Amino acid sequence: MNTENATSSSEFFAERERLWRATYGLRMVAPHLSAHNGMTLRQRKAVICAAAVVILGLALAPRVTGIICISAATAVYTAVIAVRLLLIVNSIGHDPAPVEATAFLIPDDALPFASVLVPAYKEPEILRELLGALSELDYPADRLELLLVLEGDDDETIATAREILADDTQGLSRCLRIIEVPPAEPRTKPKALNYAVQLAQGDLITIYDAEDRPHPLQLRAAAYALATGGPDLACVQAQLNYFNPEQNLLTKWFTLEYTMWFTQFLPGLVKLGAPIPLGGTSNHFRREAIMAVGGWDPFNVTEDADLGLRFHRMGYHIGVIESVTLEEANSDAINWIKQRSRWYKGYLQTWLVNLRHPIRTTRALGLRGFVLMNLFVGGTPLLALLNPIFWFLCLLWFTLQPQFVRDLFPAGVLYPAMACWVVGNFLYVYAFVLTAAKRDDVRLTKAAFAIPGYYVLMSFAAYKAFVQLIFAPTYWEKTQHGLDSATKAVIDLRDQVVTTP
Amino acid sequence: MTIEAKPFNEQALQAWLDATEDEGRFESAPEQKSARPTERAFSTSWIWVVATVAFFFYLGVGLWMIYGADFAIGDAIARASSARAIAHSRDQHVMAVGFYWMPLPAFAEVPFMAVFSRLGVPALAMVAPTALATAMTIPILARIGRDLAVRKWIAATFVTLFALNPYTIFCAGNGMSEAWLVLALAGCFAAYLRWTDKRRIRDLGRLGLWLAVGQMTRHEMLTVVVVFCVLVAIESAKGRRVATALTVAAPSIFGLFAWTIVSFVITRHGFWKAILDGDVADRVTGPWLPDERTVATVATYSATLSLRFAPGIVLAVLFAGFGRELFGHILDVDGRPHLRAVAIVAIGGLFPAQIAFLLLQRASYGDPRYYMPLILLFTIASFIALNGRPRIGGRGAALVVCGLAGCVSSFVVIGDPGISAVTGEPAVIRALLGTEQSAADSNPARSVNLGDWRAFTADLDRRLRPGDVIVLDTSVAAAVHLFSRHPMQIATELDSDSAQQLQLPNPGYTWAVVVPGNYGSLNPTVQALLRGTPPRGKRWEKVDVPLTPAGFRGSPELWHLVDAPTSPALLTAAAQPTKPQETGQ
């Protein structure tokens, strides 16, 4: 059995030190980049001042203030939609050659030692499938370690893991270790990863979630991409997609969204040299890069997006590889809103962290990077927050046509706003239709036409995130997995999605 | 168990990379090879220079038609007037675009109008979009030629024949919708031909978006959308056909649906165009149209005009190798790639067929402009016929002759008053050749004499003082609205408050332009205002303006609100309405 238990006092102190580093390492080294403190005093003052100006403006000159607010919102909409459409246009016909076939040919002795970190919390039910998927990884066993990162007080999951390991039907005992993270606040995935990475021995650090089904050749592909990508390439992000799109409308929408994000937005951003908000799993890092930037921020609930931006700030860049990890799409609306609200909260956290010193951030990211960071990381939750306001105004206008709505939209505001609303929304929906066509799935095409319904759910999640950001900024809303266990579908869809020559 | 970490062996990997690079093991996966020969593919960057030159040439022709030949089609002026109402008017609002036509050509004028109207040259905003649309068609056509592996100079020859066809030039400068329709069709074919070749989703998306551009330009595109959907469905794998067709049709469906909904919400008529067409159906007539409307007569009319526009199309289809592609498919000799030939023939046949059908329904004037897409389709058909040929040969030479014949024929069609007098096109040729209007000009009353309108407007502009407001109906006096230097002082039926304002005892207007005996939603109301009781101490006075009455559908009148004379008799005389003129419209 290969477990990490503090049995001696020296081990105990080493464990405490690791835990301290995992929790406060980034905060100590670069406090301005840690979400621990939330908004700085200066940011709070700025927000309060802005709110006061708006309230005062609404009281004294409501029409002018309203027009200014609507204009600003329209400008944000226009910019976000324009950038996204540009990325889609740039990448929709982009069909990169799959790297897995090439990676397959790399001799074993040229491969780096790889540590695969798999954090899990209260997920005993999916461990067996997880280990089954990991056992399929095509990587030399003497150059691979699988680290199952579990919270020390998650007895049930630990017991199940030990039980599976004892059976060892998949022959993983040679390279699998269970890392027990000592119970301590904050109970977040990034803290667990920070703890585990200190025990990992690989030069290639890979993160998978417990419900992931990575393509067997993905580790090799990542190793190849990192080795040939130059020393500044800190990380490569594999594509994520879902194995259960057929389950219901929500999973279809989610699948479309992920396909769009990983096949169009991310390659487009990489092509532009923009900061990349990483996805939370299937990231493959150079060990020295992850250590150089201070690891994950344990107080940020989208530590992945934050890390991507931090890499960019520190002069690294991120690549994407054409290799797919299949995950379970959230099929329950409540569960989905919980997950999405955490993402939005994390995006807002990341945005606020990077806006603490806008000039310094602009210098670090470059002007284009700074603008794109604002449009992607800030713009995504912001638009979801703004949408219901504009839907309401729209509904009001079409039903009652009140004068105040007309007053808020003089010609200079109305036309761009209408162009955004009609043309922008349509092109966005159409991009989803084309994404569905690219996946060659008729069911997704039908779902793509109904995607505006997904926007409504997003807005629910955004408001929940906004409230949580104020009252519980580091609270990690756990996503329940295992709502679908169609293993056969996994294999079928993987074969279908992953193209190999 | 203890695992010893091994460093990332980049040297070993690099050594392996060096050793294997020569073997080509790291080459990207081979892209799908084009089904057509590409060795003759040429760069199309030069064509952008040609397109830029063409744009300024078309712009110049458009301005010459307005200011040199005093010619503009009434519908073009109406669209430009709508664009001005949206971009630069007392009451700017998007509803002013109107709901009779599909909106794209008018919307395309809005940004131009926002600039040119303020610069005092609003007519440029009428001409520039169509000039731009036609100029943009040129590189698309060149790219189609390249994709079809036509040699550069052969492609250049046919693109030139298209670009310099008199009807192309006419449509590029006339501010109407044909230029946009042709651009959309060219875009559709470019995307469709690429899709048939490479099967990229991007091209499918482009096809859908170009179809939507066409759909938002003219209603006739609906049938073209259907044809393209059928074609892509046929070429798709089983099980994907509906989804592929839906992907292509989605933008057009959305455009049509959105516009119908907006139209319904604003006008309470979702199918405004259809309703109005129904109203005019019985009145559509003209000496150039067959007296008796039967299937045979309208088909003959349509076929004759088609051949006059694109005389080479028959040659292209039947004799120049194109027919082999077409019939090869039908006989299942050569397989599916030749569906592109079917596409050309199907869509080329759609336009004359639709016009013939509408003529039969007495719902169309059978205007020659509607056949203009055939010039484009002839050019694409020629490229297909000459696909991959290293030399122009006899087939190519014959097609070039046909293209030249089409140019001459188009010139004759424009100038032929026996065919083209629907909107007065012969006036352009008359002005070009310096000839006088002849008795053969069958329907001069239909044409808007632009010179008179401009003189009328200039006179009005000179009289206007700050604070004056003119009221007029753009459906009868759009030219005044378009050419006036004082758009902020013109109130029209497009303003949201006009109808309400006219009910007031003193609506605040100091000038009025009316066309007695003509239609319009505001025109009769303004006449009623002139007949009614003027504000205390004021009276409406008719002003003499320089006019050539024969040039108008009804003579416009200019009225001015002046201080009332002391004599009650004069007051009564001044308020006496002008007798409406019978125009037969």
Side-chain angles (χ1 to χ4, degrees):
Chain A
M1 188 62 62
N2 192 13
T3 60
E4 293 287 335
N5 288 318
T7 52
S8 66
S9 60
S10 62
E11 280 182 352
F12 173 79
F13 285 116
E15 180 192 280
R16 288 291 111 183
E17 189 183 340
R18 275 197 299 273
L19 185 62
W20 189 89
R21 282 183 194 282
T23 311
Y24 300 110
L26 178 67
R27 191 187 155 197
M28 288 297 113
V29 177
H32 65 288
L33 296 178
S34 166
H36 178 260
N37 297 326
M39 290 170 79
T40 61
L41 188 62
R42 202 164 52 172
Q43 282 181 310
R44 284 178 198 179
K45 280 181 186 170
V47 169
I48 290 167
C49 282
V53 167
V54 171
I55 291 167
L56 203 67
L58 286 173
L60 297 177
R63 184 168 179 264
V64 174
T65 311
I67 290 172
I68 291 170
C69 291
I70 298 277
S71 306
T74 304
V76 173
Y77 271 107
T78 309
V80 171
I81 290 174
V83 167
R84 292 189 174 202
L85 290 177
L86 187 72
L87 292 177
I88 290 168
V89 168
N90 271 343
S91 57
I92 201 155
H94 173 66
D95 297 313
V99 291
E100 283 140 352
T102 305
F104 181 68
L105 302 172
I106 300 174
D108 287 355
D109 60 358
L111 289 168
F113 192 86
S115 299
V116 177
L117 277 55
V118 189
Y121 184 55
K122 295 188 176 172
E123 295 174 297
E125 68 281 358
I126 56 171
L127 275 189
R128 201 169 290 277
E129 285 183 359
L130 162 70
L131 295 178
L134 293 180
S135 70
E136 289 181 16
L137 284 173
D138 184 329
Y139 210 80
D142 62 336
R143 288 173 178 269
L144 176 68
E145 65 172 355
L146 305 173
L147 305 181
L148 197 53
V149 186
L150 307 174
E151 289 289 330
D153 57 357
D154 184 6
D155 298 335
E156 195 183 353
T157 312
I158 292 171
T160 308
R162 286 180 177 157
E163 191 181 309
I164 294 169
L165 211 53
D167 294 346
D168 196 23
T169 50
Q170 283 128 351
L172 289 172
S173 61
R174 280 180 63 204
C175 54
L176 181 70
R177 285 191 290 159
I178 297 172
I179 305 280
E180 292 181 27
V181 182
E185 292 299 325
R187 296 302 185 96
T188 60
K189 174 180 161 188
K191 189 203 71 182
L193 290 174
N194 279 341
Y195 185 87
V197 79
Q198 297 175 69
L199 295 166
Q201 298 173 70
D203 293 286
L204 169 64
I205 305 287
T206 293
I207 313 298
Y208 287 130
D209 275 350
E211 80 278 16
D212 282 0
R213 311 283 179 267
H215 189 274
L217 289 169
Q218 191 175 101
L219 274 188
R220 282 175 171 271
Y224 168 65
L226 284 170
T228 53
D232 293 339
L233 182 64
C235 168
V236 287
Q237 167 77 62
Q239 288 182 12
L240 301 180
N241 222 310
Y242 293 121
F243 56 71
N244 58 330
E246 78 293 343
Q247 196 171 345
N248 57 34
L249 186 59
L250 184 60
T251 59
K252 288 186 183 76
W253 284 340
F254 211 172
T255 304
L256 282 169
E257 186 190 18
Y258 250 40
T259 309
M260 174 103 87
W261 179 259
F262 285 100
T263 63
Q264 285 159 39
F265 287 155
L266 279 191
L269 286 171
V270 168
K271 215 187 275 184
L272 282 177
I276 308 290
L278 288 168
T281 172
S282 299
N283 321 125
H284 308 272
F285 302 98
R286 277 181 192 281
R287 184 193 179 87
E288 71 259 24
I290 188 78
M291 300 316 248
V293 300
W296 294 265
D297 183 353
F299 297 98
N300 191 315
V301 294
T302 48
E303 77 294 342
D304 35 20
D306 173 73
L307 184 62
L309 263 63
R310 200 143 21 93
F311 274 132
H312 203 88
R313 289 182 77 118
M314 307 267 180
Y316 289 100
H317 67 271
I318 292 167
V320 287
I321 52 172
E322 190 79 359
S323 175
V324 178
T325 296
L326 293 176
E327 294 189 305
E328 178 196 343
N330 216 322
S331 54
D332 177 76
I334 302 296
N335 200 31
W336 182 93
I337 287 175
K338 283 182 181 177
Q339 184 185 43
R340 186 52 58 103
S341 66
R342 175 169 64 77
W343 291 358
Y344 280 158
K345 185 171 70 176
Y347 266 44
L348 288 169
Q349 278 184 317
T350 307
W351 191 40
L352 289 171
V353 163
N354 282 278
L355 285 183
R356 282 175 182 165
H357 304 284
I359 295 172
R360 201 192 292 184
T361 306
T362 308
R363 280 196 195 124
L365 296 177
L367 184 61
R368 186 168 59 179
F370 182 73
V371 171
L372 288 169
M373 183 275 292
N374 281 297
L375 294 180
F376 262 85
V377 180
T380 303
L382 199 63
L383 256 53
L385 286 169
L386 286 174
N387 278 340
I389 298 169
F390 282 91
W391 293 335
F392 175 71
L393 285 176
C394 215
L395 193 68
L396 210 58
W397 176 249
F398 278 118
T399 51
L400 303 174
Q401 303 201 345
Q403 184 60 33
F404 87 90
V405 176
R406 189 186 170 88
D407 291 343
L408 289 174
F409 289 89
V413 179
L414 178 68
Y415 300 147
M418 276 195 69
C420 266
W421 182 53
V422 179
V423 182
N425 269 314
F426 166 70
L427 288 177
Y428 211 51
V429 171
Y430 194 49
F432 277 109
V433 173
L434 293 178
T435 301
K438 203 171 182 181
R439 267 194 70 135
D440 210 16
D441 190 328
V442 179
R443 293 164 302 180
L444 289 180
T445 304
K446 291 174 190 165
F449 285 106
I451 204 98
Y454 198 50
Y455 302 166
V456 179
L457 287 176
M458 284 179 179
S459 289
F460 272 115
Y463 276 94
K464 186 168 181 286
F466 186 68
V467 173
Q468 270 198 5
L469 182 70
I470 297 167
F471 296 108
T474 59
Y475 173 64
W476 188 283
E477 193 101 58
K478 180 85 181 82
T479 309
Q480 190 187 348
H481 294 296
L483 300 176
D484 176 275
S485 57
T487 310
K488 188 176 178 306
V490 175
I491 306 303
D492 292 348
L493 277 165
R494 188 188 301 156
D495 291 346
Q496 187 183 335
V497 171
V498 178
T499 314
T500 49
Chain B
M1 174 187 152
T2 307
I3 299 176
E4 187 188 341
K6 295 177 184 173
F8 200 160
N9 194 348
E10 288 184 357
Q11 285 178 338
L13 184 58
Q14 192 57 50
W16 179 72
L17 283 172
D18 293 342
T20 53
E21 262 178 354
D22 293 341
E23 299 167 25
R25 292 165 81 173
F26 274 99
E27 283 177 3
S28 300
E31 283 190 10
Q32 190 181 347
K33 295 289 181 195
S34 168
R36 301 183 199 124
T38 54
E39 63 270 22
R40 279 181 293 277
F42 54 83
S43 161
T44 52
S45 51
W46 56 275
I47 206 75
W48 291 103
V49 178
V50 176
T52 308
V53 172
F55 169 70
F56 286 107
F57 170 66
Y58 294 145
L59 198 64
V61 170
L63 289 176
W64 171 79
M65 284 202 285
I66 294 170
Y67 294 103
D70 285 335
F71 171 84
I73 297 174
D75 290 354
I77 295 175
R79 274 199 186 93
S81 168
S82 298
R84 195 172 207 197
I86 295 171
H88 189 206
S89 67
R90 292 172 71 242
D91 179 20
Q92 298 176 353
H93 61 106
V94 78
M95 270 170 60
V97 73
F99 294 91
Y100 180 73
W101 294 293
M102 294 308 279
L104 192 138
F107 276 137
E109 291 181 16
V110 171
F112 290 95
M113 192 60 85
V115 176
F116 292 132
S117 177
R118 284 172 174 81
L119 294 177
V121 278
L124 261 179
M126 184 174 95
V127 177
T130 47
L132 185 66
T134 311
M136 283 163 60
T137 308
I138 291 171
I140 296 176
L141 267 180
R143 184 162 279 194
I144 291 173
R146 188 184 69 169
D147 287 352
L148 289 169
V150 177
R151 284 188 79 89
K152 183 177 178 176
W153 70 270
I154 299 178
T157 304
F158 282 94
V159 170
T160 306
L161 283 172
F162 166 81
L164 293 181
N165 186 298
Y167 234 101
T168 305
I169 298 170
F170 175 68
C171 289
N174 68 4
M176 294 292 283
S177 59
E178 281 74 23
W180 287 100
L181 181 70
V182 165
L183 170 68
L185 276 175
C188 288
F189 271 100
Y192 172 72
L193 293 172
R194 279 207 167 186
W195 180 76
T196 56
D197 197 17
K198 297 182 188 293
R199 301 289 162 158
R200 294 184 308 194
I201 297 298
R202 174 169 48 180
D203 297 321
L204 210 55
R206 279 182 179 156
L207 173 58
L209 291 174
W210 277 118
L211 282 170
V213 169
Q215 181 60 60
M216 296 308 284
T217 300
R218 292 184 73 94
H219 285 90
E220 293 96 303
M221 273 298 280
L222 196 57
T223 50
V224 177
V225 174
V226 173
V227 169
F228 270 116
C229 285
V230 170
L231 288 170
V232 294
I234 289 171
E235 297 205 41
S236 296
K238 276 185 184 171
R240 285 285 311 152
R241 287 178 174 166
V242 174
T244 309
L246 211 55
T247 303
V248 168
S252 303
I253 293 171
F254 172 81
L256 195 60
F257 179 74
W259 189 241
T260 304
I261 293 288
V262 170
S263 180
F264 177 78
V265 168
I266 293 172
T267 68
R268 298 292 158 193
H269 288 289
F271 299 97
W272 196 240
K273 158 94 174 150
I275 291 164
L276 287 182
D277 276 354
D279 288 346
V280 299
D282 287 338
R283 293 188 275 121
V284 171
T285 183
W288 58 90
L289 295 173
D291 292 331
E292 195 183 348
R293 306 282 174 89
T294 63
V295 174
T297 57
V298 295
T300 306
Y301 173 85
S302 214
T304 308
L305 264 183
S306 300
L307 289 176
R308 290 187 73 169
F309 268 95
I313 210 152
V314 173
L315 180 75
V317 170
L318 293 179
F319 305 112
F322 187 88
R324 184 175 154 273
E325 292 210 8
L326 176 65
F327 299 121
H329 167 70
I330 291 171
L331 300 170
D332 203 20
V333 175
D334 290 338
R336 278 190 175 161
H338 303 308
L339 269 180
R340 62 194 185 201
V342 179
I344 287 278
V345 173
I347 290 163
L350 267 181
F351 286 94
Q354 285 188 102
I355 299 161
F357 175 77
L358 290 172
L359 282 173
L360 199 61
Q361 302 296 311
R362 305 185 81 85
S364 171
Y365 288 106
D367 195 303
R369 285 182 291 113
Y370 304 152
Y371 295 87
M372 197 262 168
L374 295 177
I375 300 168
L376 174 95
L377 297 177
F378 165 72
T379 309
I380 300 172
S382 301
F383 288 154
I384 293 175
L386 299 172
N387 176 15
R389 291 187 166 251
R391 284 186 293 276
I392 194 160
R395 177 189 300 181
L399 285 169
V400 170
V401 170
C402 286
L404 283 168
C407 289
V408 175
S409 177
S410 293
F411 188 84
V412 173
V413 169
I414 299 175
D416 186 349
I419 302 172
S420 246
V422 184
T423 42
E425 287 95 326
V428 177
I429 304 298
R430 279 203 310 273
L432 187 69
L433 302 178
T435 56
E436 293 297 315
Q437 181 172 335
S438 71
D441 288 2
S442 53
N443 196 8
R446 285 184 181 278
S447 62
V448 178
N449 189 328
L450 205 61
D452 289 342
W453 275 116
R454 285 195 290 112
F456 181 95
T457 309
D459 187 78
L460 172 59
D461 279 347
R462 275 193 298 274
R463 294 169 192 268
L464 276 183
R465 297 290 172 268
D468 283 350
V469 179
I470 319 163
V471 61
L472 57 84
D473 189 324
T474 63
S475 55
V476 295
V480 175
H481 185 234
L482 174 63
F483 287 106
S484 173
R485 286 184 283 110
H486 305 288
M488 305 304 278
Q489 290 178 254
I490 302 179
T492 72
E493 83 286 5
L494 302 172
D495 293 1
S496 48
D497 65 340
S498 293
Q500 201 179 4
Q501 199 76 8
L502 280 166
Q503 303 302 318
L504 301 176
N506 182 8
Y509 304 128
T510 51
W511 295 84
V513 177
V514 290
V515 182
N518 216 326
Y519 55 84
S521 59
L522 213 58
N523 193 33
T525 320
V526 178
Q527 289 176 70
L529 171 78
L530 301 178
R531 284 195 300 270
T533 310
R536 183 181 294 273
K538 300 280 184 183
R539 66 183 172 84
W540 284 100
E541 185 180 79
K542 189 176 173 188
V543 180
D544 285 334
V545 286
L547 289 174
T548 310
F552 292 95
R553 282 183 167 187
S555 292
E557 295 174 356
L558 178 63
W559 289 74
H560 186 202
L561 188 68
V562 294
D563 291 334
T566 48
S567 161
L570 279 174
L571 184 73
T572 311
Q576 191 68 29
T578 308
K579 190 181 175 186
Q581 189 180 34
E582 293 300 327
T583 62
Q585 297 300 309

